[in-house]
Amino acid sequence: MAKCKSCDKKGLFLKVSKVGLCKDCDPRVTEDITTHSNVIYEEMHVFERAVETPEKLEALDKILAAAKHLVAYEDKGLETCSPPAKLVLDEYTGFKNDLAKS
Ligand SMILES: [Zn+2]
């Protein structure tokens, strides 16, 4: 029986996309994942190029917020960005702690 990974709707006649989403969730969730993944990619570049600590912290906060948002989807078994949001969250939380120490 098909079951939607986002809204948990299930049924014999429910059609889900190849990633496991029903037709109501698929466009919405796909767009939301794309939007937040793009924030992560863009802010990663900002972070790499940033020289000043406040600038780095601002980029880090945006990355962490977007990654947290995506981790919720990963917990439901969906693929989000690459590398996975969980790894991004771990790695950038570490960077933030290092910055706070320096
Ligand atoms: Zn759904």
Side-chain angles (χ1 to χ4, degrees):
M1 184 157 48
K3 184 177 171 215
C4 173
K5 284 181 182 171
S6 177
C7 65
D8 291 335
K9 211 191 289 175
K10 59 185 157 191
L12 217 45
F13 300 104
L14 183 78
K15 280 198 167 54
V16 293
S17 66
K18 64 176 191 297
V19 294
L21 296 167
C22 73
K23 69 175 184 347
D24 295 332
C25 296
D26 192 64
R28 185 173 51 80
V29 170
T30 304
E31 195 192 323
D32 199 42
I33 289 176
T34 306
T35 306
H36 286 83
S37 301
N38 286 340
V39 169
I40 291 177
Y41 300 142
E42 280 162 26
E43 294 303 323
M44 274 177 177
H45 287 295
V46 174
F47 176 74
E48 311 267 306
R49 290 195 205 112
V51 185
E52 305 289 334
T53 303
E55 208 182 342
K56 285 184 190 243
L57 282 174
E58 200 187 320
L60 277 175
D61 282 338
K62 287 183 195 163
I63 293 169
L64 293 177
K68 272 183 198 146
H69 190 87
L70 291 177
V71 164
Y73 289 123
E74 288 179 1
D75 286 341
K76 292 182 174 206
L78 290 161
E79 276 188 31
T80 60
C81 51
S82 172
K86 269 195 188 74
L87 289 182
V88 172
L89 194 59
D90 278 356
E91 192 173 353
Y92 283 81
T93 300
F95 290 160
K96 194 177 172 180
N97 292 339
D98 290 345
L99 268 185
K101 271 182 253 158
S102 57

